[in-house]
Amino acid sequence: MTAFDVDEEKVGRPLSEAFTAPAISATAFTRLGEDSEAPVLPAPVLDGLAGPLGDLVRPAAAAREATQEDVAKALVDHEADVLVIVLPTGASQAIRMFAGAALAAGVAVVNATPEEVARDADIRRRFKEAGVVLLGDDLRSHVGATTLHTALIELMLSRGLVLGSTYQLNVGGNTDFLNLADTGRSATKFASKANALRAAGMTEVDGVAGPTGFVGHLADTKLCFASIKATSVLGSEVEIDLKLKVEDSPNAAGVIANAVRLGKAATDRGLSGTVDGASALLFKSPPHGLPESEARTAFLEFAS
């Protein structure tokens, strides 16, 4: 196992130390065990620190000199099976660099970011032709804003309601929300969430769904405020308003673990390219999205 970063507070240190180094605000819920001494290696900076993060993170000297070839070689040397890409939204060059390095190394990819990788037809084709598994895009949280939102949409449709308008407003205080406060960096996040709502059955998304504010003192707490309006029998109106509060980072941990298992299992079965159906439960914006209940069935069928 190994990890990659550009932050001088993390590069060159064992994972056990980098795990809690600034500017991480997440709670350390578990020990790292046998992987605690895994090295944190430098990765090319590219556009990873564009926007607000550039004022918070100082890149390591080694990261300024690192190349895609260095990343690919490290993946081979450390016998990686799956590469999880968890980079700032909007860092399109850096995210595609990691995907290219994994492809060169023959390592399966889990794209946890909203940037289009699995949805990109050309990248998808190259992974398919190379016999490498590609999963994504934009990891769903365990019980997060999008999962709750899409489940409610499916419920209302299953009861015969006609959907009207909706919104999903998210605020938080970690570095993810700091980065997303830059509208130039958050565009793909809004697009990804819109894809998820369409897959749930809201074919015309009338409203907003995405990050709408950075509140520093919230740290790793995420607040979601959502509303769905619909029309029921005899034209009567139904409206759901809700508030969801979660600790953001650990809310993704179990889903990442399942995505890694899916990537390894698909590789062991000789699959390549995207794994449609099974991916829909784990990602907001896979190439082929499904409503929540259908996605769960497809994932369990693959797992069995």
Side-chain angles (χ1 to χ4, degrees):
M1 176 178 175
T2 191
F4 300 92
D5 211 306
V6 301
D7 190 344
E8 70 173 6
E9 296 288 338
K10 299 178 177 64
V11 172
R13 301 173 69 177
L15 196 56
S16 58
E17 296 179 13
F19 189 53
T20 56
I24 294 173
S25 59
T27 303
F29 283 98
T30 185
R31 295 176 179 271
L32 293 180
E34 63 182 21
D35 295 321
S36 63
E37 297 307 305
V40 176
L41 303 176
V45 178
L46 299 175
D47 56 350
L49 296 181
L53 293 180
D55 296 327
L56 186 66
V57 176
R58 181 177 298 175
R64 298 183 186 278
E65 301 175 0
T67 65
Q68 177 175 314
E69 290 72 24
D70 293 333
V71 175
K73 183 178 185 301
L75 291 171
V76 173
D77 291 346
H78 289 273
E79 300 180 343
D81 293 309
V82 180
L83 173 68
V84 181
I85 302 177
V86 188
L87 269 69
T89 299
S92 179
Q93 295 175 19
I95 289 163
R96 287 172 177 250
M97 180 280 299
F98 271 108
L103 180 61
V107 172
V109 165
V110 171
N111 177 35
T113 82
E115 302 303 311
E116 288 195 352
V117 177
R119 285 179 69 90
D120 184 295
D122 180 60
I123 296 177
R124 195 163 61 242
R125 174 188 57 78
R126 287 160 54 200
F127 271 76
K128 180 71 173 177
E129 292 176 353
V132 181
V133 172
L134 172 63
L135 305 178
D137 298 317
D138 201 4
L139 196 83
R140 285 178 180 259
S141 293
H142 190 190
V143 180
T146 298
T147 295
L148 182 59
H149 201 168
T150 54
L152 287 172
I153 288 173
E154 184 179 10
L155 171 65
M156 296 178 86
L157 288 172
S158 74
R159 306 300 291 179
L161 277 70
V162 178
L163 298 175
S165 61
T166 190
Y167 65 74
Q168 178 199 128
L169 312 177
N170 303 310
V171 298
N174 57 25
T175 51
D176 185 33
F177 276 94
L178 175 62
N179 175 64
L180 292 169
D182 182 342
T183 56
R185 302 281 276 184
S186 63
T188 53
K189 190 70 172 179
F190 282 91
S192 173
K193 283 180 174 285
N195 288 336
L197 299 187
R198 292 189 189 95
M202 196 157 192
T203 53
E204 296 296 329
V205 182
D206 181 12
V208 175
T212 53
F214 170 73
V215 182
H217 72 262
L218 288 176
D220 202 31
T221 296
K222 174 180 177 178
L223 298 176
C224 165
F225 303 91
S227 174
I228 305 174
K229 291 183 179 181
T231 304
S232 185
V233 178
L234 302 179
S236 60
E237 294 184 354
V238 175
E239 183 172 354
I240 297 176
D241 293 294
L242 61 89
K243 171 187 173 182
L244 173 69
K245 179 179 180 180
V246 296
E247 187 168 353
D248 199 23
S249 299
N251 203 18
V255 185
I256 288 179
N258 277 336
V260 170
R261 294 186 183 106
L262 174 60
K264 182 65 165 68
T267 300
D268 290 346
R269 296 182 193 182
L271 302 179
S272 61
T274 56
V275 183
D276 295 333
S279 294
L281 185 70
L282 307 178
F283 301 94
K284 297 183 185 73
S285 188
H288 304 285
L290 293 171
E292 190 78 14
S293 59
E294 294 179 29
R296 183 175 183 274
T297 298
F299 181 82
L300 292 177
E301 286 178 351
F302 181 91
S304 61

